[in-house]
Amino acid sequence: MQNIELPLVLFTVLSQAAVGMALLLAVRSCGCAGGACATTPTIAGTGENAPGSRTEWLTATIVMGVALLASLFHLGHPEGAVRTMAHLEKAWLSREILAFGAFAALLAVAALTGKAGAGLRAAAALVGLVALYTSGMTYAPPAMPAVHNAAPLGFFLLSALLLGASFGSWFAGEGSQPMLRAVLLGSLAAALAVYVIVPCVWASGGTVMQMTARAWLASPLYWARLVLGIIVPLVVMIRSPRIPRWMGPLVLLGELAGRAVFFGATVHAAMNLGAPY
Amino acid sequence: MTTQKTSLPRQRAFLVDVERCIGCFTCAMACKNYYHQETGVVWRQLYPLDEAIYPHRERAFFSLACNHCENPACLNACPVKAYEKREDGVVVHHQDRCIGCGNCIRSCPYGAPRYNPVLKKAEKCSLCHERLDAGKQPACVQSCPVRALRLVDIAALSTTDAANAVQYPAGYPEMPQVNPSTRFIMPRTPRVVRR
Ligand code: SF4
Ligand code: SF4
């Protein structure tokens, strides 16, 4: 196994948790328009009966802040981080930093003002999704045939939904709980299918893809993630009428283990130079 | 074994004559000696061909460094513009601009950029561009005792080289989107002599 790139594991998983929270906050506010959140607490000072307490926005902001902080530890020279937006015309990494910077700023405005109107909620969700897309492109380099495709984007979107629903349930009113449960249940089922099928597809691909499939399946972290991060939560959610509070930390641990496999076990094309591809 | 042409007016490149190469590592040592790379950091490396590709008792090798690609994955991935593609096709890494994010290392399909753990920055073969500008040959090309490495311009290859050169031999990833400039002359099957 290569280096698991811990700072990148933390940056991607935590930033996706923040995107998932913002996304489901926006979805919840759509539900509120139909009166589904009648029991949702009002936003302090606004009297507006919309989802998203100040604490929830603050939590998402802190999670995103920790993600950005963790990303600095990935750099050999963190003092040069300010220059990472110098190549917006070509480098997905530059675009990723810009998009997540804008997303963090929107979260911070919502948290500081405590007045996240419909426009701000929609903007945070939209910019979060754009940022997620830039991550999906950044971590799909041509050098890694197994993930030089839409797989990273799919993985990241699933992470956002799993984490957003699990942690969102901590803050949501009773009216939104069934919707969050449905999102979590659906994402867990999709994650189970994706994380079982994708290595099988790789196993039938070219040599480097096959090496990646073997490396993933040989990793204890892959199995820990599959069992503790997907199967156990899925079984619990099938039986439980609402998301238990401990679901967030459990899913987070699963996502961290899964991301460590993504960064540590995905095989680089150069590993096979001189042998058949 | 398709060959993709270059659309550039000029593209300096390595021509690796695998038939001539005896696997002596002199090119890799010359590079290391000239640039004094840190322990474990290599810009030019020899890769023995797998028996599935070259099934003979005699061994064959690919001597590889950066391929100075037409559409470099390293350059496209670098967030701080530390890479430059010169007019002669050489892809130069400007280490003073690098912040050590490792994105070029993850992105290059040929493993050319390496991480320097002392400087905490990436580095790679820049085709001895200062030597080229002074009218000299790259250190590896100059050192090879059997002339297995040559510096060519693939926008103006001789007819013989163009006829013999291969861009994507077995054992080397086919990446048309980056269009690597290195070309190979493949080894002949050894003649079996009955005793
Ligand atoms: S071989 Fe790699 S480092 Fe060299 S130019 Fe191509 S992509 Fe860049
Ligand atoms: S390691 Fe340096 S050269 Fe490579 S992408 Fe990052 S900043 Fe650019």
Side-chain angles (χ1 to χ4, degrees):
Chain A
M1 193 182 263
Q2 305 156 28
N3 181 357
I4 64 163
E5 311 262 23
L6 189 59
L8 285 186
V9 168
L10 290 172
F11 167 67
T12 55
V13 170
L14 295 181
S15 63
Q16 285 148 25
V19 170
M21 287 177 78
L23 185 63
L24 291 175
L25 254 168
V27 173
R28 272 156 56 198
S29 52
C30 296
C32 276
C37 316
T39 55
T40 304
T42 52
I43 295 174
T46 65
E48 190 184 347
N49 194 15
S53 66
R54 191 172 195 167
T55 326
E56 187 169 4
W57 286 109
L58 198 60
T59 309
T61 310
I62 291 170
V63 169
M64 191 60 230
V66 174
L68 287 172
L69 191 68
S71 74
L72 292 181
F73 288 90
H74 173 66
L75 303 178
H77 292 265
E79 73 281 3
V82 287
R83 286 191 282 122
T84 48
M85 278 184 266
H87 202 186
L88 288 171
E89 63 273 32
K90 275 190 177 170
W92 280 103
L93 182 56
S94 291
R95 297 170 188 166
E96 187 189 27
I97 301 301
L98 175 67
F100 273 116
F103 176 61
L106 288 172
L107 292 181
V109 168
L112 289 175
T113 60
K115 290 178 191 164
L120 185 51
R121 290 197 296 269
L126 204 67
V127 174
L129 279 177
V130 171
L132 199 82
Y133 179 76
T134 61
S135 272
M137 298 303 287
T138 303
Y139 301 106
M144 296 182 179
V147 295
H148 182 47
N149 45 45
L153 186 56
F155 296 158
F156 297 170
L157 191 60
L158 280 172
S159 302
L161 292 173
L162 291 170
L163 294 162
S166 310
F167 285 107
S169 73
W170 284 11
F171 307 96
E174 284 305 317
S176 300
Q177 291 294 340
M179 183 275 284
L180 290 177
R181 178 182 178 271
V183 170
L184 182 58
L185 204 53
S187 316
L188 285 168
L192 181 61
V194 164
Y195 285 103
V196 169
I197 291 171
V198 166
C200 296
V201 173
W202 290 338
S204 61
T207 313
V208 180
M209 280 196 187
Q210 290 177 26
M211 290 163 77
T212 301
R214 284 198 295 274
W216 275 49
L217 296 176
S219 167
L221 286 173
Y222 169 80
W223 294 102
R225 187 270 179 88
L226 202 63
V227 174
L228 293 176
I230 298 177
I231 295 175
V232 170
L234 185 62
V235 172
V236 169
M237 287 316 303
I238 289 171
R239 292 154 165 255
S240 170
R242 65 174 289 158
I243 303 173
R245 289 189 77 80
W246 49 264
M247 187 57 78
L250 183 65
V251 169
L252 177 63
L253 279 179
E255 288 306 301
L256 291 172
R259 201 52 51 79
V261 178
F262 178 86
F263 283 113
T266 305
V267 178
H268 194 287
M271 301 276 282
N272 205 40
L273 282 166
Y277 276 92
Chain B
M1 287 200 188
T2 50
T3 293
Q4 201 175 344
K5 295 216 168 64
T6 176
S7 59
L8 302 172
R10 213 168 159 218
Q11 175 64 67
R12 280 175 145 160
F14 293 112
L15 179 66
V16 182
D17 191 335
V18 188
E19 167 68 16
R20 281 173 175 256
C21 177
I22 54 172
C24 69
F25 276 80
T26 305
C27 51
M29 287 304 113
C31 178
K32 203 154 181 58
N33 193 32
Y34 193 75
Y35 290 103
H36 296 280
Q37 291 127 354
E38 295 298 336
T39 311
V41 177
V42 276
W43 295 0
R44 176 168 288 283
Q45 179 67 290
L46 259 80
Y47 299 88
L49 286 192
D50 192 271
E51 283 189 22
I53 294 174
Y54 193 68
H56 307 290
R57 259 161 76 176
E58 225 175 66
R59 303 300 325 126
F61 303 84
F62 285 161
S63 169
L64 295 176
C66 171
N67 300 293
H68 302 279
C69 305
E70 179 171 341
N71 181 27
C74 54
L75 183 151
N76 292 338
C78 176
V80 298
K81 294 189 177 171
Y83 286 89
E84 173 202 357
K85 180 126 181 110
R86 303 202 322 175
E87 279 182 359
D88 60 356
V90 176
V91 178
V92 176
H93 178 245
H94 295 288
Q95 209 177 32
D96 50 331
R97 297 183 201 159
C98 176
I99 57 168
C101 73
N103 212 28
C104 54
I105 299 170
R106 283 175 57 79
S107 297
C108 166
Y110 301 97
R114 303 290 173 102
Y115 191 69
N116 179 325
V118 178
L119 294 179
K120 296 189 164 73
K121 293 181 177 201
E123 55 184 49
K124 74 164 191 86
C125 151
S126 288
L127 224 161
C128 289
H129 61 106
E130 293 101 340
R131 287 177 61 90
L132 295 185
D133 293 345
K136 294 179 178 170
Q137 292 281 303
C140 53
V141 170
Q142 180 170 305
S143 74
C144 179
V146 295
R147 285 183 51 78
L149 274 182
R150 275 161 56 200
L151 178 71
V152 292
D153 179 354
I154 58 162
L157 269 189
S158 73
T159 325
T160 325
D161 284 342
N164 295 334
V166 173
Q167 186 177 19
Y168 297 118
Y172 180 83
E174 183 164 349
M175 296 281 163
Q177 71 269 47
V178 300
N179 196 5
S181 73
T182 301
R183 295 294 186 269
F184 299 85
I185 294 175
M186 294 310 288
R188 286 193 297 263
T189 304
R191 199 157 56 95
V192 178
V193 181
R194 284 185 191 278
R195 290 173 194 270

